[in-house]
Amino acid sequence: MSTAQPMSREQFEAALRAKGELYHIHHPYHVAMYQGHSTRQQIQGWVANRFYYQVMIPVKDAAIMANCPDRDVRRHWVQRVLDHDGYDGAEGGIEAWLRLGEAVGLNRDEMLSQEHVLPGVRFAVDAYVNFARRATWQEAASSSLTELFAPTIHQSRLDTWPGHYPWIDAEGYQYFRNRLTEARRDVVHGLQITLDHYQTREQQERMLEILQFKLDVLWSMLDAMSMAYELERPPYHTVTRERVYHKGLLR
């Protein structure tokens, strides 16, 4: 058990924000996309694989609510599920991502089939969802705080992609536009939960480890994509060029 004095609220928030230095915006795969160096296949591969993350986010958020006895928290948190799944005429983030897929030349059915999802991406995302199911609701909620850094990454795409990749239909960028507002709203709520809950130094250090775990998830997803689409070493490449890896959820 740590005997160090707890960080002040301001110090703790600063420590959380400092983790942004390890956000996946700095991964070479992302850097290449922002600099205009990515091929069509690499853009398509990223969109197709990231789709699995998108469809599992509301599952993760539903798990947090299932473990949370606080009605007020659930009232706020359910908006995240609605943002992704859609409601009352609002298409939602999953549909917006499907339109992004179409904008980069992917077929909607092939995205929905998840045939392009690499095992490394699936394992990383599933690890995140399973953490949300097993952890306390406060820990699972706080793991979402990579949203602190998300507006920057969405704005970078909006700023650089149209110039670098004119072949992408501009209608596909609506997901990024939506998340500029949604992520900032979610950060306010998630940060309040985190700063209120983690009071001791030991708790604060654990929270920093939880945030690092989420950063690991995002970075590992891009590592898998780098192997497949940059180094041209997809799974089983020494045996077959077919996508033989599993495609469904295994419980």
Side-chain angles (χ1 to χ4, degrees):
M1 180 179 295
S2 174
T3 59
Q5 289 294 313
M7 288 178 272
S8 68
R9 194 176 181 92
E10 293 74 20
Q11 290 170 330
F12 186 31
E13 180 175 346
L16 293 167
R17 292 186 180 277
K19 285 289 188 178
E21 296 178 1
L22 303 176
Y23 194 46
H24 63 163
I25 194 172
H26 303 297
H27 192 286
Y29 201 96
H30 264 310
V31 172
M33 287 195 290
Y34 302 140
Q35 293 179 343
H37 300 321
S38 295
T39 65
R40 185 182 295 256
Q41 182 199 33
Q42 288 162 359
I43 294 288
Q44 290 177 339
W46 177 76
V47 172
N49 276 272
R50 180 79 180 190
F51 180 67
Y52 185 64
Y53 181 84
Q54 302 304 322
V55 298
M56 294 305 288
I57 287 299
V59 176
K60 176 268 299 184
D61 287 323
I64 292 172
M65 289 193 295
N67 291 331
C68 178
D70 189 319
R71 181 175 61 169
D72 289 336
V73 171
R74 294 198 305 270
R75 282 172 170 169
H76 280 87
W77 208 269
V78 71
Q79 185 61 50
R80 297 171 183 245
V81 176
L82 298 175
D83 285 343
H84 278 78
D85 284 346
Y87 65 98
D88 295 338
E91 66 175 13
I94 292 174
E95 177 61 28
W97 198 272
L98 283 166
R99 290 202 288 112
L100 172 63
E102 291 173 327
V104 302
L106 293 168
N107 178 281
R108 173 177 290 248
D109 289 338
E110 68 180 310
M111 288 190 68
L112 289 169
S113 73
Q114 300 179 6
E115 64 188 78
H116 296 291
V117 180
L118 299 163
V121 170
R122 191 179 296 276
F123 295 154
V125 174
D126 288 353
Y128 181 38
V129 174
N130 288 330
F131 171 79
R133 289 181 172 134
R134 298 192 310 269
T136 67
W137 72 264
Q138 294 98 333
E139 289 183 341
S142 297
S143 70
S144 298
L145 272 184
T146 46
E147 291 162 344
L148 284 166
F149 325 118
T152 299
I153 208 169
H154 295 311
Q155 190 62 59
S156 294
R157 292 165 186 154
L158 292 169
D159 289 343
T160 63
W161 280 30
H164 292 318
Y165 311 109
W167 53 271
I168 298 178
D169 187 339
E171 290 297 315
Y173 294 134
Q174 190 58 46
Y175 177 88
F176 305 140
R177 299 187 190 100
N178 292 345
R179 288 306 295 167
L180 287 175
T181 301
E182 293 168 356
R184 290 189 177 99
R185 179 208 64 209
D186 292 344
V187 161
V188 172
H189 186 223
L191 191 58
Q192 179 181 340
I193 290 172
T194 300
L195 297 177
D196 287 347
H197 178 69
Y198 299 90
Q199 297 293 321
T200 69
R201 186 58 174 260
E202 184 177 24
Q203 289 173 331
Q204 292 168 340
E205 290 175 352
R206 174 164 172 77
M207 176 51 220
L208 290 170
E209 276 293 291
I210 290 170
L211 186 55
Q212 183 60 56
F213 160 71
K214 175 62 181 304
L215 292 166
D216 293 348
V217 166
L218 297 173
W219 198 275
S220 295
M221 291 169 63
L222 291 174
D223 282 347
M225 290 181 237
S226 291
M227 287 292 293
Y229 307 123
E230 291 182 326
L231 300 181
E232 298 185 0
R233 292 183 177 183
Y236 307 106
H237 70 281
T238 57
V239 179
T240 177
R241 302 303 294 184
E242 298 295 323
R243 293 190 293 269
V244 296
Y245 28 91
H246 77 284
K247 300 177 179 63
L249 290 173
L250 301 178
R251 301 297 185 200

